[in-house]
């Protein structure tokens, strides 16, 4: 143990820890510098009960919803998010999705587990939004699956990465309206028949990296409930919100 600490100390002297979101020096491993911390909007209080978006004002009643979730019925029971998708939060999501930043997985999963702790139910199973196999090969990993795996471990829940499958590729959804997103996702996410017995009668925690309109999570949630899940709750790393 002492030799290990000596090695770690020597490595820190040679390679001092840097901010997760930039190259600034920080005091501890896997931390954020002051500037990036100020640009990171953690959702720590008064979240929308359906998607986790921060609600305006100092007080929110239990079960209160944001404007988006008042307009659009969500096919899941409740949802939480760790960050607002903007500033440092956006850079972290894009680093996970496109930048091979596997070093971000641990901190991101811890933030998510903290945000989603009140979603946990007995016998709950964690799964994640799947990628089409071609996109997964291109990226080399599915960031949502890797986040889900770590969140399940932190919350002491069972995890299965392939409850859902994506048999057909979908176009990039950025810039599309919610209705166009739903049309593009029609038939794109389906239950893996080999895993149906695993979810029968169990609550499911569905993990994704970011929620924008909620179309992907909606299609996935319907597939899970139609496949026999007791209920679905969703947990994302970040939530895109309209700025006032």
């Amino acid at each position: 143990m002492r030799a290990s600490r000596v090695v770690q100390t020597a490595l820190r002297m040679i390679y001092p820890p840097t901010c997760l979101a930039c190259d600034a020096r920080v005091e501890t491993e896997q931390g954020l510098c002051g500037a990036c911390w100020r640009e990171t909007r953690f959702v720590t209080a008064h979240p929308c009960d359906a998607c986790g978006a921060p609600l305006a004002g100092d007080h929110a009643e239990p079960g209160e919803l944001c404007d988006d979730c008042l307009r659009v019925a969500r096919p899941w029971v409740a949802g939480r998010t760790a960050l607002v998708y903007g500033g440092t939060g956006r850079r972290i999501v894009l680093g996970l999705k496109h930048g091979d930043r596997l070093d971000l997985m641990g901190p991101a999963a811890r933030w998510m587990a903290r945000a989603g702790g009140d979603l946990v139910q007995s016998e709950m199973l964690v799964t994640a939004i799947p990628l089409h196999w071609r996109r997964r090969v291109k990226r080399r990993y599915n960031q949502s699956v890797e986040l889900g795996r770590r969140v399940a471990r932190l919350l002491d829940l069972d995890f299965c990465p392939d409850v859902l499958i994506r048999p057909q590729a979908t176009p990039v959804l950025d810039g599309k309206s919610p209705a166009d997103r739903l049309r593009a996702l029609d038939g794109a996410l389906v239950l893996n028949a080999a895993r149906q017995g695993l979810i029968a009668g169990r609550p499911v925690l569905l993990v994704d990296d970011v929620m924008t309109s909620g179309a992907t999570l909606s299609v996935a949630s319907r597939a899970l409930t139609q496949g026999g899940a007791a209920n679905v709750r969703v947990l994302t790393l970040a939530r895109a919100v309209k700025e006032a």
Side-chain angles (χ1 to χ4, degrees):
M1 290 291 291
R2 182 173 181 177
S4 175
R5 287 196 294 270
V6 169
V7 171
Q8 289 177 3
T9 300
L11 286 173
R12 275 197 168 191
M13 293 177 66
I14 301 170
Y15 305 107
T18 58
C19 173
L20 285 171
C22 72
D23 294 328
R25 299 267 285 271
V26 292
E27 294 295 323
T28 58
E29 298 284 350
Q30 298 188 326
L32 293 168
C33 69
C36 289
W37 182 270
R38 287 189 293 273
E39 291 183 3
T40 308
R41 290 181 62 189
F42 290 95
V43 183
T44 57
H46 314 311
C48 167
D49 195 54
C51 73
L55 296 173
D58 296 329
H59 302 284
E61 297 296 326
E64 192 169 343
L65 303 179
C66 68
D67 290 345
D68 282 352
C69 293
L70 285 171
R71 284 193 298 266
V72 180
R74 306 299 189 186
W76 59 81
V77 171
R80 297 291 184 270
T81 195
L83 310 170
V84 170
Y85 185 69
T88 304
R90 181 176 183 274
R91 295 203 302 275
I92 288 172
V93 169
L94 294 179
L96 287 169
K97 191 188 292 282
H98 302 298
D100 286 340
R101 290 292 307 277
L102 291 171
D103 58 303
L104 296 172
M105 290 291 181
R110 288 195 293 273
W111 299 335
M112 292 172 71
R114 182 179 62 195
D118 66 337
L119 298 178
V120 173
Q121 292 183 294
S122 176
E123 302 300 318
M124 179 171 262
L125 177 73
V126 180
T127 193
I129 297 293
L131 290 175
H132 186 261
W133 70 267
R134 285 200 293 268
R135 189 164 292 176
R136 189 175 64 249
V137 167
K138 182 178 179 181
R139 291 187 187 172
R140 299 189 301 111
Y141 62 90
N142 179 342
Q143 70 280 356
S144 296
V145 164
E146 296 307 319
L147 289 169
R149 190 188 315 280
R150 289 163 174 80
V151 166
R153 189 179 305 128
L154 290 165
L155 295 177
D156 196 25
L157 298 172
D158 292 338
F159 175 70
C160 182
D162 60 347
V163 172
L164 296 167
I165 55 177
R166 202 165 199 145
Q168 64 187 53
T170 52
V172 175
L173 300 178
D174 293 348
K176 292 184 179 294
S177 69
D180 287 340
R181 285 170 179 258
L182 283 171
R183 280 190 289 271
L185 288 163
D186 185 32
L189 297 171
V190 299
L191 185 69
N192 181 351
R195 303 300 189 199
Q196 187 164 11
L198 191 61
I199 69 166
R202 296 179 71 175
V204 174
L205 182 63
L206 179 61
V207 170
D208 202 6
D209 55 353
V210 61
M211 175 181 169
T212 50
S213 71
T216 301
L217 290 166
S218 291
V219 172
S221 295
R222 290 191 184 99
L224 289 167
T225 52
Q226 290 168 5
N231 62 69
V232 178
R233 294 157 192 257
V234 303
L235 177 61
T236 59
L237 172 58
R239 170 72 163 107
V241 299
K242 296 182 179 70
E243 298 297 338

